[in-house]
Amino acid sequence: MLSFYQRKVFREGTAPMSVRSATTPDFSTPPLELPADLEPDNPLWRFALAFWKRPDVQNSCLALQNQGWSVTRILGAAWLALSGRVFAGVEDATVTEWRDRVTVALRSARKSLPGSADNCQKLRTGIAGLELEAEQIELALSWRTLMTINPEHADMQGRDALIINNLFAAAPTLPVEDDARPLLNTLADTLAHFPKGDHQP
C-alpha cells in the first residue's frame, strides 16, 4: 500500500524541493576560476615534497588533519618560517574555496569507499591521485598569496620561536588543543633541522 507521501508524489508527479535536494546534486554553483598564470611547480610545492619525506612528518600532519587542521596551512606556515617570515593565519578566499569545494570533496569521496573491498581499489587509487593533484593546485594558490598577505619579516624572533609561532598560527581555532601540541613539536623539531634548498623564496 502506498504511503501518504508516495500517493502525493504519484499524484503531483514530483517531490517537494526539500526531498529532491537530499538525493539530487546541486549543480547551480558556478565553476571556480583559477588564475591563468598559476604555477603548480613552485617553491612551496617543492618544499612540501621534501618536507613530507622526513620521518614522522606525514603521520603528524595527517593526525592534525583528523583534528580539523589544514595541511596546506601547516605547510605554508612552515615554509614562511624557513624564509624568516611571519604567518598571519590569513588566507585568500580562492584558497579556502578551492579547499572546501575540491580538495575536501575528493578526500571525502575517497574515505567513503570501503578500504577492504577489492572492487573499489582502482577507484580509490584514482581518487587519491586526483586528490594529490587538487592539493598541488591548492598549494599553488596558497603560494601566490603567502608573500603578499604575510610580508612581515620576523626580525625580533629567533628561528625556533618563529617556527612554533607560525605553526600555532595555522590552527583552525585558538587556543591550540592539547592533543595537537606534541604533533606540532614534532614538526617544529624537523623544521629546525631542515636544510635550505631551492624551495626557499
Side-chain angles (χ1 to χ4, degrees), residues 44 47 51-52 57 60-65 68-81 87 91 99 138-139 142 146 163 166-172 183-184 187-188 191:
L44 176 57
F47 160 74
F51 187 52
W52 201 253
V57 168
S60 296
C61 285
L62 293 179
L64 287 167
Q65 185 180 82
W69 291 60
S70 162
V71 174
T72 298
R73 283 174 60 84
I74 295 170
L75 294 172
W79 180 69
L80 283 174
F87 179 53
E91 292 182 301
R99 179 185 302 138
E138 185 179 325
L139 282 169
S142 181
L146 279 177
I163 287 171
N166 273 15
L167 291 176
F168 271 55
L183 301 169
L184 293 173
L187 296 178
L191 287 167

Side-chain angles (χ1 to χ4, degrees), residues 21-91:
S21 63
T23 57
T24 305
D26 180 10
F27 296 112
S28 61
T29 305
L32 292 168
E33 293 186 12
L34 296 178
D37 59 346
L38 194 66
E39 298 181 47
D41 185 15
N42 57 71
L44 176 57
W45 173 249
R46 292 192 290 272
F47 160 74
L49 292 178
F51 187 52
W52 201 253
K53 295 176 183 178
R54 295 280 167 165
D56 299 323
V57 168
Q58 180 176 344
N59 289 339
S60 296
C61 285
L62 293 179
L64 287 167
Q65 185 180 82
N66 290 335
Q67 296 179 24
W69 291 60
S70 162
V71 174
T72 298
R73 283 174 60 84
I74 295 170
L75 294 172
W79 180 69
L80 283 174
L82 293 185
S83 66
R85 293 179 180 269
V86 175
F87 179 53
V90 179
E91 292 182 301

Side-chain angles (χ1 to χ4, degrees), residues 78-149:
W79 180 69
L80 283 174
L82 293 185
S83 66
R85 293 179 180 269
V86 175
F87 179 53
V90 179
E91 292 182 301
D92 188 82
T94 308
V95 180
T96 56
E97 190 173 14
W98 178 271
R99 179 185 302 138
D100 294 340
R101 290 178 57 184
V102 181
T103 310
V104 172
L106 287 168
R107 183 176 304 127
S108 177
R110 175 178 57 80
K111 289 186 174 181
S112 296
L113 297 174
S116 59
D118 292 339
N119 54 359
C120 288
Q121 289 306 311
K122 183 177 180 180
L123 178 59
R124 187 182 180 90
T125 301
I127 294 177
L130 295 175
E131 184 183 348
L132 180 61
E133 291 184 33
E135 289 170 341
Q136 184 176 10
I137 293 176
E138 185 179 325
L139 282 169
L141 291 169
S142 181
W143 178 68
R144 284 174 58 87
T145 58
L146 279 177
M147 297 304 286
T148 56
I149 294 179

